[in-house]
């Protein structure tokens, strides 16, 4: 269990299989985000049909509501949300640092107030692992501290703490049917990133996550950090780039040796009526679509594009019908999963490096940020 088999390599890009108790994951893989034990507006049937193989859920949110013990009593996350395939939970660290109020960090853990009702809680590495064991995902994360990437002094403190918390997370783990991934940090400092990669790689984690990127630094800085880090990581463990996943990020990440991605962007954009397409990002509210009989993207094989016109999608949006969010979410997730399938087949054929500029050009007008938050 939890072995990573590399099937093909091209430069630093790889395709492989990661074995989990709920089935084999083919990598590179893109994971839709199900923050509250649901990928917003979609059923598990939709997710299976559009080719999702891994779903992420959030420890911080599920701990606060409905509570990890309730989820455990209902048979764990897979049973609770009726998702039969592999699942991943984060450690809760990122949300504590980004969402919770009045947080106080010390070397032992973090005390914070719930963003829902203001009640006081405390996360430590041991608590995060206990919650994730109650939730029962196949892949779980060590508790880490994400710093402001441009504050080097704080990045060093947060990295040192993350290293000690990684060891404590390993010691706290009791279940042997969950793969615990270590997380490396280090802001945008190449020296700190190299130290963190070497340290986390030295611990007996079956997979390694790269945290603290896509949090305000530039794309060039993110790529530079990946260029420092992935050559220092063992080949035989999957690498997970946390919270990153525009079409351009998937292509650039795989080129630099990343295997697992997740991002809220496809479903968040869908709720704001924006669709990925090979013509660039489309705002489906646009009046020019009012009588457009074409599918959202003529090159797409998703249920939405096989079935409905742009005119119908725009009508649903103008009438504030909930189905609009569902149909555009199906399309946006399928677009990313289809892109990752294409990347896998290019690596198998040994033509990914040659095809990467073509793919980047095709998806280049989809990457500008149009929404800041939910
Ligand atoms: Zn589609």
């Amino acid at each position: 269990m939890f072995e990573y088999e590399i099937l093909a390599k091209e430069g630093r890009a790889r395709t492989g299989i990661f074995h989990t108790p709920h089935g084999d994951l083919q990598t590179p893989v893109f994971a839709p985000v199900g923050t509250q034990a649901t990928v917003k507006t979609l059923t598990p049937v939709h997710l299976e049909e559009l080719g999702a193989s891994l779903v992420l859920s959030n420890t911080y949110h599920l701990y606060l509501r409905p509570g990890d013990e309730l989820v455990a009593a209902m048979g764990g996350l897979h049973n609770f949300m009726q998702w039969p395939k592999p699942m991943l939970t984060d450690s809760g660290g990122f949300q504590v640092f980004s969402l919770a109020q009045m947080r106080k960090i010390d070397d032992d853990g973090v005390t914070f107030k719930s963003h829902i009702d203001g009640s006081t809680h405390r996360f430590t590495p041991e608590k995060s692992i206990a919650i994730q064991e109650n939730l029962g995902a196949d892949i779980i994360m060590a508790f880490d501290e994400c710093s402001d990437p441009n504050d080097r002094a704080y990045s060093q403190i947060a990295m040192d703490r993350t290293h000690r918390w990684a060891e404590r997370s390993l010691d706290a783990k009791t279940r042997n049917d969950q793969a615990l991934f270590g997380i490396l940090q280090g802001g945008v400092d190449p020296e700190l990133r190299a130290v963190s990669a070497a340290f986390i790689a030295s611990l007996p984690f079956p997979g390694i996550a790269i945290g603290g990127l896509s949090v305000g630094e530039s794309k060039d800085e993110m790529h530079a950090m990946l260029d420092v880090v992935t050559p220092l990581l063992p080949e035989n463990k999957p690498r997970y780039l946390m919270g990153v996943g525009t079409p351009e990020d998937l292509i650039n990440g795989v080129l630099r040796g990343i295997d697992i991605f997740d991002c809220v962007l496809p479903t968040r954009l869908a709720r704001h009526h924006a669709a990925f397409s090979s013509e660039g990002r489309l705002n489906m509210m646009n009046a020019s679509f009012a009588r457009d009989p074409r599918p959202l993207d003529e090159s797409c094989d998703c249920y939405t594009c096989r079935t409905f016109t742009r005119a119908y999608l725009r009508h649903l949006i103008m009438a504030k019908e909930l189905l609009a969010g569902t149909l555009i979410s199906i399309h946006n997730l399928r677009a990313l999963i289809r892109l990752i399938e294409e990347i896998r087949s290019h690596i198998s054929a040994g033509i990914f490096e040659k095809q990467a500029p073509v793919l980047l050009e095709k998806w280049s007008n989809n990457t500008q940020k149009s929404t800041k938050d939910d």
Side-chain angles (χ1 to χ4, degrees):
M1 197 58 72
F2 303 127
E3 272 180 26
Y4 182 58
E5 257 180 82
I6 293 182
L7 298 178
K9 277 201 64 177
E10 189 195 342
R12 280 151 65 198
R14 325 90 73 76
T15 64
I17 297 178
F18 188 60
H19 302 283
T20 87
H22 289 85
D24 289 348
L25 277 182
Q26 293 210 25
T27 69
V29 61
F30 174 79
V33 177
T35 301
Q36 310 273 9
T38 168
V39 177
K40 290 189 196 307
T41 75
L42 300 183
T43 70
V45 176
H46 293 132
L47 291 171
E48 286 212 63
E49 204 205 52
L50 60 84
S53 52
L54 174 68
V55 168
L56 178 144
S57 201
N58 289 114
T59 289
Y60 169 87
H61 289 283
L62 296 178
Y63 158 80
L64 289 177
R65 181 179 57 196
D68 50 295
E69 281 166 20
L70 184 149
V71 174
M74 299 307 289
L77 257 185
H78 288 93
N79 224 40
F80 189 48
M81 66 184 282
Q82 287 296 304
W83 174 247
K85 292 185 172 182
M87 289 206 67
L88 183 157
T89 47
D90 61 7
S91 69
F94 183 75
Q95 278 76 24
V96 167
F97 294 108
S98 61
L99 278 183
Q101 288 143 17
M102 306 273 294
R103 58 188 180 273
K104 256 190 80 189
I105 308 160
D106 55 66
D107 286 343
D108 182 57
V110 189
T111 300
F112 60 93
K113 285 196 190 310
S114 158
H115 73 289
I116 300 171
D117 62 7
S119 54
T120 300
H121 302 268
R122 183 163 173 81
F123 276 3
T124 60
E126 293 75 18
K127 179 69 179 174
S128 170
I129 297 299
I131 296 167
Q132 293 185 80
E133 291 194 342
N134 272 338
L135 296 175
D138 304 274
I139 300 172
I140 64 175
M141 291 292 142
F143 193 57
D144 68 321
E145 180 176 358
C146 181
S147 63
D148 172 349
N150 296 308
D151 183 341
R152 192 190 184 280
Y154 175 35
S155 290
Q156 168 123 37
I157 292 167
M159 180 193 81
D160 289 338
R161 227 179 238 145
T162 293
H163 293 173
R164 291 193 295 275
W165 289 357
E167 293 174 314
R168 282 170 55 188
S169 295
L170 275 169
D171 288 343
K173 181 176 179 297
T174 64
R175 284 178 65 160
N176 58 17
D177 59 346
Q178 295 179 298
L180 172 61
F181 281 25
I183 303 179
L184 62 89
Q185 289 284 351
V188 290
D189 186 284
E191 278 170 45
L192 293 182
R193 283 281 168 185
V195 167
S196 198
F199 182 82
I200 297 297
S202 75
L203 298 178
F205 291 113
I208 292 171
I210 299 162
L213 291 177
S214 200
V215 292
E217 81 288 0
S218 71
K219 293 285 182 197
D220 285 346
E221 286 175 315
M222 177 165 82
H223 297 160
M225 293 305 104
L226 295 181
D227 288 337
V228 167
V229 160
T230 56
L232 299 173
L233 300 178
E235 284 283 321
N236 63 347
K237 295 179 180 183
R239 296 103 176 236
Y240 166 31
L241 180 54
M242 303 179 80
V244 173
T246 65
E248 179 202 33
D249 289 336
L250 298 186
I251 300 160
N252 283 314
V254 175
L255 279 172
R256 291 169 173 79
I258 299 300
D259 307 301
I260 303 174
F261 302 85
D262 78 280
C263 192
V264 297
L265 189 67
T267 44
R268 180 178 291 171
L269 284 178
R271 297 194 304 282
H272 294 274
H273 321 306
F276 292 135
S277 94
S278 43
E279 297 167 34
R281 191 179 288 178
L282 303 180
N283 177 355
M284 296 309 295
M285 291 230 298
N286 197 312
S288 67
F289 299 134
R291 292 172 175 273
D292 193 332
R294 293 175 294 169
L296 205 164
D297 186 338
E298 276 168 324
S299 71
C300 181
D301 62 358
C302 84
Y303 168 71
T304 302
C305 293
R306 292 195 322 264
T307 315
F308 301 102
T309 61
R310 290 175 176 184
Y312 180 65
L313 293 172
R314 181 174 185 274
H315 157 69
L316 292 178
I317 293 164
M318 300 316 284
K320 298 193 170 21
E321 284 293 334
L322 297 176
L323 185 59
T326 300
L327 294 179
I328 301 174
S329 290
I330 287 173
H331 167 78
N332 281 351
L333 284 174
R334 180 63 195 150
L336 287 191
I337 287 171
R338 210 158 51 96
L339 171 62
I340 218 95
E341 288 171 356
E342 202 176 351
I343 291 172
R344 283 205 298 262
S345 82
H346 285 336
I347 298 169
S348 301
I351 57 169
F352 178 47
E353 289 187 346
K354 214 171 88 194
Q355 290 299 313
V358 180
L359 290 175
L360 282 169
E361 171 66 27
K362 176 175 167 187
W363 291 101
S364 62
N365 293 324
N366 282 275
T367 49
Q368 75 275 23
K369 290 245 161 41
S370 72
T371 56
K372 276 194 293 194
D373 216 336
D374 269 320

